[in-house]
Amino acid sequence: MAISFPHSTRVLRNDGMLPTAVMLAVIGSILILWGVWFTFARIPLNVTCAQATLTRDGALVVQCPPGQVERLYRGAPATVIITSKGSRQIFAAVILRVADTYTRDLAPNTLEVYAALGDALPAGATTEVQVEIETLSPLQLLLRGSSIPSAASSGFGQL
């Protein structure tokens, strides 16, 4: 049984579909731009090490999370962040040595990092060292099954 809807069919016949086509083009462009960003954007992955102590020669000996030292290498750039009484100081640094099976004077899972700090570490200050191990796109992270480490982690976030 055929039912006639003359008002609805007249509206569909007279509609030029221009607003719908414009909206579809805008949404399509947004999705294409997001896909390009998702494929080509770069997100740095960092290893965050904590519990730094200053040595006599001005280097920092830093304790890293277990299993992360193998991903680090001598000469890699690092960032030292010192937080004391609500203020943060950020220094550029470089990795001098990484504990391995041949290093006898460094404990396992430790690094020796040099940063031009100038003064001794303030009392009660927390120090963390971040070392960028690689940069990946969000698509590569998704395919790898990794999550992005939280910036507010306690220093031993999993990658």
Side-chain angles (χ1 to χ4, degrees):
M1 164 167 74
I3 299 176
S4 177
F5 296 98
H7 185 67
S8 298
T9 55
R10 190 175 340 120
V11 167
L12 287 173
R13 193 174 345 110
N14 292 335
D15 187 15
M17 298 294 217
L18 184 63
T20 305
V22 168
M23 187 172 58
L24 218 81
V26 167
I27 291 173
S29 298
I30 290 172
L31 284 174
I32 288 171
L33 289 173
W34 179 81
V36 168
W37 172 85
F38 193 73
T39 305
F40 296 110
R42 306 309 292 173
I43 297 173
L45 290 179
N46 295 330
V47 170
T48 302
C49 304
Q51 301 173 358
T53 56
L54 193 61
T55 61
R56 282 186 284 156
D57 59 355
L60 289 170
V61 176
V62 187
Q63 183 70 32
C64 289
Q68 296 298 322
V69 174
E70 293 83 20
R71 302 174 83 178
L72 306 176
Y73 58 94
R74 182 176 169 234
T79 304
V80 176
I81 302 170
I82 300 173
T83 306
S84 175
K85 298 177 186 169
S87 67
R88 292 177 70 155
Q89 294 178 328
I90 300 174
F91 299 95
V94 65
I95 295 177
L96 296 177
R97 293 189 304 157
V98 178
D100 58 11
T101 56
Y102 304 109
T103 307
R104 300 280 185 234
D105 59 338
L106 282 178
N109 297 320
T110 58
L111 300 175
E112 189 175 59
V113 178
Y114 178 75
L117 299 176
D119 298 331
L121 294 175
T126 58
T127 305
E128 67 180 34
V129 176
Q130 294 182 349
V131 183
E132 183 177 311
I133 52 174
E134 63 183 320
T135 58
L136 298 171
S137 72
L139 178 63
Q140 289 171 320
L141 282 171
L142 179 69
L143 293 175
R144 187 185 281 187
S146 300
S147 64
I148 299 174
S150 173
S153 69
S154 63
F156 290 106
Q158 295 294 320
L159 294 180

